[in-house]
Amino acid sequence: MFLAYVIARLIDDPHLRVRTLCDELEDVGYAMSYQTLHRKIRELKLRPICQACLTVTATVTVTATERSHRSPAR
């Protein structure tokens, strides 16, 4: 029950804080600790990659690389 809920919530909001998710789960009977939940999310690789963040990161990386390859101003 909890696994399906965690997956659905993280797909809905890849930036959802684990503390918020843990609070939501505790309201419906989750009895494990925050640390256990956090560890399981990492171990099972449940947090999806945010496509918007990927785009921003790629743009910043390309811009930084372009700058490092320019000749110094004279």
Side-chain angles (χ1 to χ4, degrees):
M1 175 182 142
F2 297 122
L3 181 60
Y5 183 82
V6 168
I7 291 169
R9 288 292 285 128
L10 291 174
I11 288 171
D12 183 52
D13 181 2
H15 299 278
L16 182 66
R17 294 179 181 265
V18 177
R19 178 73 257 165
T20 303
L21 185 54
C22 190
D23 289 343
E24 291 175 7
L25 290 171
E26 287 170 351
D27 289 344
V28 293
Y30 179 76
M32 303 299 284
S33 69
Y34 161 84
Q35 290 84 358
T36 300
L37 178 61
H38 195 266
R39 183 176 60 252
K40 288 299 182 184
I41 289 171
R42 263 188 282 133
E43 286 175 357
L44 299 174
K45 299 180 181 173
L46 298 179
R47 190 176 293 278
I49 297 171
C50 174
Q51 295 303 314
C53 290
L54 252 181
T55 303
V56 170
T57 303
T59 303
V60 170
T61 303
V62 169
T63 303
T65 303
E66 289 172 354
R67 287 187 189 143
S68 67
H69 285 69
R70 292 183 187 161
S71 337
R74 294 182 178 196

